[in-house]
Amino acid sequence: MARENKVRTTDFRKMKKEGRKITMLTAYDYNTARIQDEAGVDSILVGDSLGMVMLGYDTTLPVTMEDVLHHTRAVVRGTKRALVIADMPFLSFQVSPEKTVENAGRLLKEGGATAVKLEGGKEVLPQTKALIAAGIPVLGHLGLTPQSIHQMGGFKVQGKVQAQAEKLIEDARLLEEAGAFGLVLECIPAPLAEKVSGALNIPTIGIGAGKGCDGQVLVSHDLLGMSGDFSPRFVRRYANLGEEMQRAFSQYISEVQNGKFPGEKESFGMDEETLKKLYG
Ligand code: KIV
């Protein structure tokens, strides 16, 4: 596909203005990114959720820069049109603005991402400003921020009480002012997300934040039914690939065991004379 068709960070604001919903999905590998891109998704997030759905950790905290870089490169190779955003893993940006620019720069330079996402509001304003000053587009992330899971006491809906909601509204305003091109709102009440979205010029991308957001994002494994029993209320399952994969793997195992696989169709023949010469 021609370069002109590529979704750019500047298209996000345009889409909001025109009332066009922005679609975003997570991907961590070449083929999934390729399929999502061909399906027409606007944006692909190489989320640090990769730690949980690809690497089997209980939280996103152990994810490293090398992990995100590795998966970002694969996703970029599979993507022609969608905007690829790489997530900044835990401690890649919390330490200092200088370290943040270095790490985010690697995600663009070595990973090929177009933008980065980082969790937090006022606390990460210096980092956000430093990135934007360096020409690195930033997607903010407020509400349930999984890297602060231990501080939040678990994966819980955020912004239900007034003080929390007020902080979120202020954080959103500050991130927009700092130059973020969009904002992920995770697990907050739908009416709050709608108000925040209405107060901003940059688009909000919701996950568990209701339909009043300017776009939506889901973790692909969740919507494909590949996350086992994990199925939070905000996820809609569009397929049951986990079950389908298990069925296919079981059938393969039994067909190998009972000699049905491989058959003639899946095997290569050879000239009889040549074979005879080898074994007499
Ligand atoms: O890591 C991730 O996949 C995310 C999305 C859930 C927004 O941050």
Side-chain angles (χ1 to χ4, degrees):
M1 195 174 287
R3 263 180 91 77
E4 305 81 67
N5 290 337
K6 268 185 108 59
V7 179
R8 298 175 187 280
T9 55
T10 44
D11 293 324
F12 267 43
R13 201 188 270 250
K14 209 165 122 206
M15 287 174 81
K16 172 171 178 138
K17 215 169 162 196
E18 292 168 0
R20 286 188 285 146
K21 292 278 188 190
I22 298 165
T23 56
M24 186 182 289
L25 285 167
T26 66
Y28 320 98
D29 67 280
Y30 166 79
N31 269 315
T32 306
R34 180 185 59 75
I35 295 165
Q36 290 176 349
D37 196 63
E38 285 169 7
V41 78
D42 297 313
S43 176
I44 298 180
L45 172 67
V46 187
D48 64 353
S49 50
L50 72 88
M52 299 172 81
V53 300
M54 297 296 288
L55 306 178
Y57 297 132
D58 286 339
T59 70
T60 57
L61 301 185
V63 175
T64 65
M65 274 297 298
E66 299 312 316
D67 291 333
V68 179
L69 271 169
H70 174 76
H71 289 277
T72 300
R73 286 188 202 108
V75 166
V76 167
R77 285 194 285 267
T79 308
K80 288 181 179 156
R81 175 187 171 270
L83 175 75
V84 177
I85 302 164
D87 220 353
M88 298 209 62
F90 183 54
L91 292 193
S92 69
F93 64 91
Q94 286 90 345
V95 178
S96 70
E98 291 75 18
K99 201 97 195 107
T100 307
V101 173
E102 263 173 38
N103 283 323
R106 289 190 69 199
L107 294 173
L108 269 63
K109 261 179 107 149
E110 299 170 40
T114 297
V116 299
K117 174 173 86 57
L118 60 155
E119 297 181 4
K122 196 173 179 185
E123 325 71 63
V124 298
L125 220 52
Q127 290 90 324
T128 304
K129 286 180 178 167
L131 289 174
I132 289 158
I136 300 173
V138 175
L139 179 67
H141 185 160
L142 297 174
L144 197 168
T145 45
Q147 290 174 20
S148 310
I149 186 75
H150 297 313
Q151 207 166 36
M152 291 178 166
F155 293 100
K156 293 178 185 161
V157 178
Q158 302 294 308
K160 277 185 147 178
V161 295
Q162 190 173 342
Q164 259 184 16
E166 279 171 356
K167 172 163 168 35
L168 192 137
I169 290 168
E170 178 62 357
D171 283 345
R173 192 188 66 74
L174 290 170
L175 286 171
E176 171 167 271
E177 208 174 86
F181 72 90
L183 211 52
V184 169
L185 296 177
E186 179 165 354
C187 270
I188 66 168
L192 175 62
E194 194 174 345
K195 289 267 183 229
V196 172
S197 305
L200 298 174
N201 291 310
I202 55 170
T204 57
I205 313 295
I207 173 164
K211 61 157 113 176
C213 294
D214 304 300
Q216 296 292 328
V217 57
L218 278 179
V219 170
S220 296
H221 287 65
D222 297 344
L223 83 88
L224 293 174
M226 292 173 67
S227 306
D229 293 334
F230 177 78
S231 189
R233 179 171 155 181
F234 60 79
V235 171
R236 185 173 296 174
R237 277 198 179 179
Y238 287 88
N240 268 315
L241 290 200
E243 278 175 22
E244 182 58 13
M245 285 165 80
Q246 197 164 36
R247 188 204 58 71
F249 293 146
S250 300
Q251 191 175 341
Y252 164 77
I253 291 164
S254 72
E255 289 191 359
V256 169
Q257 286 169 340
N258 64 25
K260 278 192 177 164
F261 179 83
E264 238 177 78
K265 224 175 87 191
E266 292 105 356
S267 305
F268 302 100
M270 180 177 180
D271 178 60
E272 280 289 329
E273 286 305 307
T274 314
L275 192 62
K276 260 194 207 152
K277 280 183 202 150
L278 298 173
Y279 283 97

